[in-house]
Amino acid sequence: MKIRKRLLSAAALGAAATLLLTAGCETIPYPLNPDGPVETVNFTVRIENVSDGSVLLAPGIWLLHTTDGPLFSDGGMGVLGLEPLAEDGNPFPLTGLNPSGLAIHLDADPGILYGGVFAAPEGSDTPAPLHAGESYVFNFPAVYGAKLTFATMFVHSNDLFYAPSEMGIDLFDEQYAVPLKGDVTDMIMLWDAGTEVNEEPGVGPNQAPRQAGPNTGEDENGVVHLVNDGYVYPPVESAIRVTIMNDKLNPDNY
């Protein structure tokens, strides 16, 4: 499922966002590089559960953006809709709340170009949690200046999720505009949404899938931060692997 942002208020950025999704378009004018056209690059992102079976991941959201903090800020509040993603593995409140397809609070952010939900494991059409050995895969076109943010819940927790930093992942080298490729797992961290008091991972009665219903558990202060609650969690690289490929630099022509 893909969600698309309505035309932005800035004419140039609006035109870029529109042309970006035009079939067969190879170069577009882009406001971050006003001196000339920029080639469109098609990216593929694979999120794999590489755990020993002790980790379960949930459907999540991805966003293409140009400014920092589209979903949360470290030490600040997450956007409305991050709570159900982090607590219940439900990304859909972040989408579909108006005709443009993005939730109102995301649609109002001029730094967000468009985004989508990854929900079905690769090879399936049915939304489901991601078990060990399975992958979520999604694709999108992008141009120089674009950043990627995504978030997926660490299921056996109260409100933890994997995501890059609030700044997102730069998809192009700043100096030479070379598109990103390869394993970017070292850019991913385990975040605490701060919306619900943490319980021991895999044990707490208010954690999915043991909780009686969505949005159960003791409320917390709502401040997003890297998890630091005294409990033991697997190293990020032992739980999740994130790989980014593109149609310009891939194993066959790089």
Side-chain angles (χ1 to χ4, degrees):
M1 168 181 165
K2 287 192 176 181
I3 51 179
R4 191 187 294 188
K5 193 180 192 312
R6 67 168 174 248
L7 296 182
L8 303 174
S9 56
L13 189 54
T18 301
L19 288 172
L20 193 62
L21 299 175
T22 302
C25 176
E26 294 190 2
T27 60
I28 65 172
Y30 196 67
L32 295 181
N33 186 16
D35 297 328
V38 178
E39 190 171 18
T40 302
V41 177
N42 294 304
F43 289 88
T44 298
V45 178
R46 174 170 277 103
I47 298 173
E48 302 174 72
N49 184 334
V50 295
S51 74
D52 58 4
S54 61
V55 173
L56 193 63
L57 304 177
I61 191 171
W62 63 269
L63 296 173
L64 203 64
H65 56 105
T66 58
T67 52
D68 298 339
L71 284 180
F72 66 91
S73 59
D74 187 3
M77 304 292 287
V79 299
L80 182 67
L82 182 64
E83 180 175 359
L85 182 149
E87 290 186 8
D88 307 314
N90 180 11
F92 293 101
L94 285 164
T95 69
L97 298 186
N98 62 18
S100 72
L102 281 172
I104 294 171
H105 56 282
L106 295 179
D107 198 40
D109 185 342
I112 296 176
L113 303 179
Y114 54 92
V117 166
F118 50 88
E122 189 174 20
S124 171
D125 296 325
T126 304
L130 198 68
H131 295 267
E134 296 180 332
S135 302
Y136 291 126
V137 178
F138 55 92
N139 307 277
F140 54 86
V143 294
Y144 176 80
K147 304 177 182 183
L148 171 69
T149 283
F150 74 86
T152 176
M153 181 191 181
F154 176 87
V155 171
H156 290 292
S157 72
N158 294 84
D159 59 349
L160 305 187
F161 63 96
Y162 290 105
S165 76
E166 63 186 89
M167 296 179 290
I169 297 172
D170 289 314
L171 292 171
F172 294 83
D173 173 79
E174 183 176 354
Q175 184 173 3
Y176 298 107
V178 176
L180 180 65
K181 71 173 279 282
D183 190 328
V184 297
T185 307
D186 61 353
M187 300 182 187
I188 309 306
M189 293 159 273
L190 185 58
W191 294 91
D192 187 334
T195 56
E196 189 174 306
V197 175
N198 290 349
E199 300 166 330
E200 182 179 353
V203 175
N206 296 305
Q207 299 170 347
R210 288 170 299 282
Q211 60 188 1
N215 194 29
T216 59
E218 183 180 352
D219 287 342
E220 207 174 7
N221 55 22
V223 175
V224 181
H225 56 281
L226 292 174
V227 63
N228 182 22
D229 56 14
Y231 294 120
V232 177
Y233 297 93
V236 171
E237 65 275 11
S238 297
I240 186 173
R241 179 164 59 224
V242 181
T243 307
I244 298 179
M245 300 303 294
N246 63 72
D247 63 354
K248 301 303 175 186
L249 300 175
N250 59 56
D252 294 326
N253 64 20
Y254 182 55

